[in-house]
Structure formats: C-alpha cells, structure tokens
C-alpha cells in the first residue's frame, strides 16, 4: 500500500512494503512514552486554547505538502474539472432522491426544491472557488477553515467532511444496486440480503455495493488522469441518457399530474430542499483537485461554476419530466425513472435509464473516491490524523493509503445502512460545512492579523454574530412555529442590518489576488442564511446522529489529534526559526564585515 517509507534508527528512510510501525501513526513527541502522553493530557487545556486561536497561513498549507514525500501530478485543466464536476454531482441524488422527496414531501413542486438547493449550492461554489484559487492544495475546505478559523474548527469540519464522503459514497453504492437490479429485470431490493436479527434500517445487506466500491478504489489509486478519462467517457454517455430521459419522458407527459402542484405546501418544499441538497454535493471534491490543476486561477472558476450551472438545469428538467410522466403519489422511491417509463408503456426504456443511472453513479463514486482521499491526505499532513495516511505513491502520484482507508469505511456503511438514514445525515454535514466556508470567506476578506485594528475586528465579530444568530433564529422559528410569521419580521431585518453594517462600517483587510467571489459580503451572508435555514428543515433524529458523531470527533481530538497537531506545529515553528538563524549565519559567514570582499561590495 505504501508509497513512502518509515524512518529507521539512523534517521534514513527504509522501504517497508505493506508493513507499518507505530511511528507511521503516532510519531509525535507526546506519544513516545507513557509519561510523555500523561504530561500531554495534563496540558490539554493550554494546548486546546493554542489550537483554537492559532490560524494557519496560506504558505503553510503549501509547505506541508512535503510530508507526503512525493508530489501529486499536475495533469488537470478546466475541461477535466467540468466533467469531474458533472460526474461528481449527477448520481443518486437525482435518480433516487427525486422520487422519494416528490412522493413524501414536495409533490411536483420538487422542482422548486431543486432550485432552492441549487441556488444555495451555487453560492457555496463561489465561496469555494475563491479559496481554491488562492490556496490550491488538496485539503479543500479543511485547508480553507484552518487558515481562517483555526485548527480546532477545521478539525471538527474535517471530521464531518469525511463523514459526508463516507455516507455519500455508501448511499450512491446502495442506489447502484437498486438500478442494477432494475437493469436485470428484478425488483430494486432483490439483490440485497435481509437479516432478521438486525434493526430494520440496518438489516438489508448489500454485497453488490461493496463490490462496486472495491472496483472504484482500484481505478482511483491507479492515476488521477486515468480517473479523469474514465469519468469523461462515462459522463458523456450519462449526459446522452439524461437528454433521452427528458425528450422521451416529455412525450408521455400528462399535465393533469401537475394539477396538485404543491400538496405539502411551502414547508414540504423546504423539507425536500434540505434533503435534496445531497444531490448537489460533489463539487467540493473538485476543489480538492486544485493541487493537481495546471492553471488554478483559470481552470477552477470555469470548472466549478460551469459544472454547477449545467447540473442545476439538468436537475430541474429531470424533476419536471418525472412528475409530468407519473402522479407523485405512485412514484417508486427506489428506481423512479425506470418505473415511470414502464408505467407509461415504454418498458424497454427502463433499461436505458437504468444503464445511464449506473454510469452516473459510478462516476459519482469515482470522483468522490478521488476527492475524499485528498481531503484525508491533507488532514494527515497536519498530523490531526495519522501521517501514514498522507503518503503519496511515487509511481502513481496518488494517495493510495488514504484512498483505501476511506473506501473501506464506505464499504462497511454501504453494506448495512438504508438510503433515507444516509441522505438526511449527509445533508446536515454538508450544510454545516458550506456554512462554515461562507463564514471563513467573510473572515478572510475582513480580518488579517496585524493589519485589522481591534476596533474593526470587534465590529466584524459583532456583524458575524448578528448574521449567524439571526439565521439560526429564522431556522428555529420555521421549525417550531408552523403557522407563525411575526418572528420572521424580527430575524430577517437583523440579518439584513448585520450584513449592511459589515459592508458599510468594516473595511476590507484583504482583496483576492487572482479571483474573487462577487458581491461580498452579501453573497456569503446569503449562503450562511440559506444553509442554516435548510438545516432547520431536517428531522430531529438526524441531528441526534450528527451530535453523536461530533461528540466522537471531540473525544478523538482531545485524546490524540490535538496533541499530535500541537507537537507537529511546534516542531515546524522551531525548524523555521533554526532555518532563519542558519540563513543569517551563512549570510554573515559568506561576506564578513570588514573583509576585502565586503569592502569590494562598497
């Protein structure tokens, strides 16, 4: 598995094949002995405060790449990124969740749910794009949050990023099985194994999901450019199938199915929108490929914004087609488009739909595998996760260890867990992270240490508290007061005034060097408000699962991640100081004052 090596006793590098030592996972000073570890635990409060308030630098995020021992290869351009974006996004979200949300929450108005989610996703795309251009490294949102909000917040987000990828991959893999069964002219559940002794939501075992994840893992570790070529070919076929679904489906349209357009009202539309946000995740995986992009300043904006625009239009057209073909009450939640064609008398078309869905879901799994491995690689470079996961294979130029670790976790979850549980939990993690990235963009534009005055910093904090607090208030009022409206008359003006105050009274501390998100602070502020509002539309059980996962992250961080990252950061700082001193000594030794050489210079 390894692409790197482990330090031997003489300080060199030894090749190790698939064997690992303790120092591959916990090489830091705090873990070299039990006494060291106990002392580190005693210093936890001090270290935690240090990590909460310490922000990384743009340059530091580039410097830590050396810990992977080998560089990732720069092979991607904007064309690759657009197709990666399309391949990453169009998958289980449209082919499965459209039917589920149309039937249970939104009816034909599910198209409006897609529009709301699409607008929110596009706002997040602009925020991500500025960061990806300015900090083109594999860490994606983890790196952006580490630079602007500090190590601790970045780690909490990182844990949820990893959860997002694992759950997203598991959900897509299970959907892959359902459509494969349809292609084989079987019921969507026929290839799953039901075990009576397990809880209902975890008793439908899916070995085919494990098999497809394994296949994707093999492709992902071979090469990024090879993955791009496979994704490009599969995505082209996928787009052709989508056009077929829209054109052929509309020939069977019945406008009577649109008579009851919004049977569940506005609340149902927003509830569906919160879940359908799952359909838009994947573009963040494209941002992790910035380190492998030839010209980030040009390629990333075109790739991210272009792919998101194409995806949103495709989603809306597909949602309209499905609900015109069939009454929302009779939509099949496992394979909605295939069953809709069969019900419309075009049974042969369900095979084309199923084949297209399989290709789409395969590319989603592939791009997700590529993206999640790069997230984990960069997190491991900071030693918040074991540094063994940061190694890049010398031959393939890919993070083999991180890819296998993430997809193994995905396979385990996909083997047991049903789609509805996965999609709700995934949407919480995604919305939470996108909200944090928008906050980080505001911090980046309006606060620079040593430049921003204390007065301006306090104004910024006050405005952020107003924006976030009013957004939370709006979401809570929406969730707890089904028929109320007075609360919105309070929270929405507070949000507007807080954003306006930020625009008028706090000067910009930094302008983007290469590419910047437009309409700051309004665009990121709207992104914060929409993401938090959609969070308020998700069921309480999903928040409980989210809280349990975040609690587990905190336990890991306080026992291991905090101390590993603290030791690594301090060792890096000490090394920088020594390098500066050595450089000064060399400069002094090269031309001693009063020497003939020194005199000659004058």
């Amino acid at each position: 598995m390894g692409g790197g090596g482990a330090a031997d006793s003489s300080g060199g590098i030894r090749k190790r094949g698939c064997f690992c030592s303790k120092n591959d996972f916990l090489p830091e000073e705090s873990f070299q002995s039990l006494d060291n570890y106990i002392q580190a635990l005693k210093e936890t409060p001090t270290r935690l405060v240090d990590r909460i308030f310490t922000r990384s630098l743009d340059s530091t995020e580039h410097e830590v790449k050396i810990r992977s021992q080998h560089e990732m290869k720069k092979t991607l351009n904007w064309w690759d990124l657009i197709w990666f974006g399309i391949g990453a996004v169009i998958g289980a979200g449209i082919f499965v969740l459209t039917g589920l949300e149309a039937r249970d929450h939104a009816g034909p108005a599910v198209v409006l749910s897609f529009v709301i989610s699409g607008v929110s996703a596009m706002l997040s795309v602009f925020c991500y794009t500025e960061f990806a251009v300015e900090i083109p490294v594999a860490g994606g949102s983890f790196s952006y949050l580490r630079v602007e909000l500090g190590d601790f917040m970045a780690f909490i987000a990182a844990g949820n990023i990893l959860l997002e990828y694992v759950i997203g991959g598991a959900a897509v893999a299970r959907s892959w099985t359902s459509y494969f069964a349809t292609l084989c002219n079987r019921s969507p559940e026929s290839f799953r194994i039901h075990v009576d002794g397990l809880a209902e939501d975890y008793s439908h075992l899916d070995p085919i999901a494990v098999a497809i994840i394994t296949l994707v893992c093999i492709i992902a570790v071979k090469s990024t450019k090879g993955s791009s070529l496979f994704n490009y070919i599969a995505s082209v076929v996928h787009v052709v199938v989508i056009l077929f679904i829209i054109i052929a489906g509309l020939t069977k349209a019945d406008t009577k199915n649109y008579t009851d357009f919004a049977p569940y009202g506005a609340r149902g539309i927003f509830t569906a929108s919160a879940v359908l946000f799952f359909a838009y995740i994947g573009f963040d995986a494209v941002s992790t490929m910035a380190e492998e992009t030839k010209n980030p300043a040009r390629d990333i904006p075109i790739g991210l914004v272009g792919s998101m625009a194409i995806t949103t239009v495709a989603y809306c057209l597909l949602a309209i087609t499905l609900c015109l073909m069939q009454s929302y009450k009779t939509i099949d939640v496992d394979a909605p488009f295939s069953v809709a064609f069969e019900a419309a008398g075009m049974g042969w078309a369900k095979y084309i739909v199923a084949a297209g869905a399989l290709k789409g879901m395969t590319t989603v799994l592939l791009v997700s595998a590529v993206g999640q491995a790069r997230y984990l690689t960069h997190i491991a470079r900071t030693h918040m996760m074991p540094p063994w996961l940061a190694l890049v294979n010398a031959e393939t130029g890919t993070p083999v260890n991180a890819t296998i670790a993430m997809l193994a976790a995905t396979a385990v979850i996909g083997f047991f867990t049903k789609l509805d549980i996965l999609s709700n939990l995934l949407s919480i993690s995604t919305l939470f992270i996108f909200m944090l990235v928008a906050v980080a963009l505001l911090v980046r534009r309006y606060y620079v240490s040593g430049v921003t005055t204390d007065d301006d910093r306090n104004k910024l904090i006050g405005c952020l508290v107003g924006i976030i607090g009013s957004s939370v208030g709006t979401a809570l009022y929406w969730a707890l007061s089904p028929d109320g409206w007075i609360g919105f008359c309070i929270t929405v003006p507070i949000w507007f005034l807080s954003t306006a105050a930020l625009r008028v009274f706090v000067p910009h501390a930094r302008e983007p060097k290469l590419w910047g998100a437009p309409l700051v602070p309004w665009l990121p502020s709207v992104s914060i408000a929409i993401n938090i509002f959609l969070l308020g539309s998700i069921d309480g059980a999903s928040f409980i699962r989210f809280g349990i996962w975040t609690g587990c992250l905190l336990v890991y961080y306080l026992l291991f991640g905090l101390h590993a990252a603290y030791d690594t950061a301090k060792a890096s700082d000490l090394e920088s100081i020594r390098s500066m001193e050595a450089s000064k000594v060399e400069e002094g030794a090269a031309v001693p004052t009063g020497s003939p050489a020194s005199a000659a210079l004058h």
Side-chain angles (χ1 to χ4, degrees), residues 400-478:
V400 175
N401 297 348
T403 303
I404 293 175
M406 288 295 293
L407 289 178
T410 302
V412 171
I413 300 296
F415 186 60
F416 289 100
T417 314
K418 290 180 70 175
L419 180 67
D420 54 348
I421 290 178
L422 293 173
S423 60
N424 276 344
L425 185 54
L426 177 65
S427 291
I428 290 181
S429 295
T430 305
L431 290 165
F432 175 67
I433 294 159
F434 290 176
M435 181 272 292
L436 287 179
V437 170
V439 172
L441 181 60
L442 290 176
V443 173
R444 183 173 183 83
R445 288 290 193 96
Y446 288 96
Y447 179 79
V448 174
S449 181
V451 175
T452 305
T453 65
D454 290 346
D455 187 44
D456 287 337
R457 180 200 62 198
N458 293 337
K459 290 178 184 176
L460 172 61
I461 293 172
C463 291
L464 289 177
V465 169
I467 291 170
I468 297 171
S470 61
S471 299
V472 170
T474 301
L476 287 175
Y477 190 75
W478 169 264

Side-chain angles (χ1 to χ4, degrees), residues 18-349:
C18 61
F19 296 98
C20 305
S21 69
K22 170 182 169 293
N23 281 341
D24 291 316
F25 294 90
L26 296 170
E28 299 82 16
E29 184 65 27
S30 293
F31 305 103
Q32 294 308 302
S33 70
L34 181 60
D35 289 340
N36 285 10
Y37 184 56
I38 292 173
Q39 181 59 35
L41 290 178
K42 290 179 180 177
E43 296 175 6
T44 295
T46 304
R47 293 182 173 201
L48 181 60
V49 170
D50 177 85
R51 292 295 89 193
I52 288 175
F53 291 103
T54 298
R55 301 161 72 217
S56 179
L57 300 173
D58 292 13
S59 58
T60 303
E61 296 304 301
H62 289 280
E63 290 167 3
V64 298
K65 292 191 292 186
I66 196 173
R67 296 173 187 163
S68 290
Q69 298 187 5
H70 301 286
E71 289 276 347
M72 296 184 188
K73 298 176 181 178
K74 292 184 178 294
T75 58
L76 305 177
N77 56 33
W78 64 268
W79 183 254
D80 295 312
L81 295 182
I82 282 183
W83 286 103
F84 260 129
I86 293 171
V89 177
I90 302 180
I94 185 62
F95 285 113
V96 176
L97 290 181
T98 306
L100 180 66
E101 296 308 310
R103 192 191 70 176
D104 294 347
H105 293 122
V110 70
V111 64
L112 298 183
S113 300
F114 271 117
V115 170
I116 294 168
S117 295
V119 169
S120 180
M122 184 63 82
L123 295 176
S124 296
V125 162
F126 280 113
C127 297
Y128 264 81
T129 301
E130 177 169 332
F131 276 115
V133 170
E134 297 283 304
I135 314 173
V137 295
S141 52
F142 169 74
S143 298
Y144 315 151
L145 296 177
R146 189 165 175 255
V147 168
E148 300 304 336
L149 301 184
D151 267 21
F152 176 73
M153 187 58 70
F155 177 80
I156 297 301
N160 282 289
I161 290 165
L162 297 180
L163 178 68
E164 168 193 321
Y165 275 114
V166 169
I167 290 178
V172 174
R174 288 186 71 90
S175 300
W176 200 99
T177 302
S178 296
Y179 270 93
F180 180 68
T182 302
L183 189 63
C184 298
N185 208 27
R186 304 282 292 273
S187 68
E189 283 285 324
S190 60
F191 288 140
R192 296 192 178 104
I193 303 168
H194 183 69
V195 179
D196 293 328
L198 298 175
E200 175 59 26
D201 290 332
Y202 306 94
S203 62
H204 298 263
L205 308 186
D206 196 334
I208 292 180
V210 176
I212 188 63
I213 289 170
T214 302
L215 177 62
V216 164
C217 180
I218 294 170
I219 297 172
V221 300
K222 288 297 183 182
S223 90
T224 304
K225 191 62 178 178
S227 297
S228 174
L229 179 61
F230 177 87
N231 172 75
Y232 172 61
I233 295 171
S235 294
V236 168
V237 174
H238 192 40
V239 168
V240 171
V241 172
I242 288 173
L243 291 174
F244 167 80
I245 293 172
I246 294 170
I247 295 170
L250 289 177
T251 64
K252 299 294 182 179
D254 184 352
T255 55
K256 293 179 181 177
N257 292 328
Y258 251 52
T259 303
D260 190 7
F261 182 70
Y264 302 99
R267 189 164 298 274
I269 293 172
F270 281 105
T271 298
S273 182
V275 176
L276 289 173
F277 202 87
F278 165 76
Y280 287 96
I281 70 159
F283 73 80
D284 51 333
V286 179
S287 73
T288 69
M289 300 173 196
E291 192 171 317
E292 298 159 272
T293 302
K294 296 176 182 177
N295 185 352
R298 180 198 66 187
D299 298 337
I300 293 173
I302 296 174
L304 279 172
V305 177
S307 60
M308 182 53 62
I310 293 169
T311 297
T312 302
V313 172
Y315 276 0
C316 291
L317 291 175
L318 285 167
I320 291 170
T321 301
L322 177 64
C323 292
L324 282 173
M325 289 180 67
Q326 193 173 19
S327 168
Y328 74 91
K329 299 176 183 177
T330 60
I331 290 175
D332 182 85
V333 296
D334 287 307
F337 287 94
S338 293
V339 174
F341 274 105
E342 193 166 23
M346 298 175 66
W348 56 270

Side-chain angles (χ1 to χ4, degrees), residues 409-568:
T410 302
V412 171
I413 300 296
F415 186 60
F416 289 100
T417 314
K418 290 180 70 175
L419 180 67
D420 54 348
I421 290 178
L422 293 173
S423 60
N424 276 344
L425 185 54
L426 177 65
S427 291
I428 290 181
S429 295
T430 305
L431 290 165
F432 175 67
I433 294 159
F434 290 176
M435 181 272 292
L436 287 179
V437 170
V439 172
L441 181 60
L442 290 176
V443 173
R444 183 173 183 83
R445 288 290 193 96
Y446 288 96
Y447 179 79
V448 174
S449 181
V451 175
T452 305
T453 65
D454 290 346
D455 187 44
D456 287 337
R457 180 200 62 198
N458 293 337
K459 290 178 184 176
L460 172 61
I461 293 172
C463 291
L464 289 177
V465 169
I467 291 170
I468 297 171
S470 61
S471 299
V472 170
T474 301
L476 287 175
Y477 190 75
W478 169 264
L480 300 176
S481 302
D483 301 317
W485 58 272
I486 295 177
F488 298 132
C489 297
I490 300 172
T491 58
V492 174
I494 291 176
W495 170 84
F496 179 84
L497 292 173
S498 298
T499 308
L502 181 58
R503 175 70 180 85
V504 174
F505 298 112
V506 184
H508 276 207
R510 172 176 16 215
E511 296 295 339
K513 298 175 185 176
L514 299 172
W515 191 94
L519 302 176
V520 175
W522 295 102
L523 185 147
S525 182
V526 171
S527 180
I528 292 168
I530 292 179
N531 287 327
I532 292 177
F533 184 78
L534 292 178
L535 281 170
S537 300
I538 295 177
D539 65 281
S542 295
F543 275 100
I544 292 173
R545 298 186 190 104
F546 176 76
I548 292 172
W549 171 249
T550 303
C552 293
L553 289 176
L554 285 172
V555 171
Y556 169 84
Y557 185 72
L558 294 175
L559 292 179
F560 297 101
L562 167 63
H563 307 293
Y566 180 87
D567 287 351
T568 303

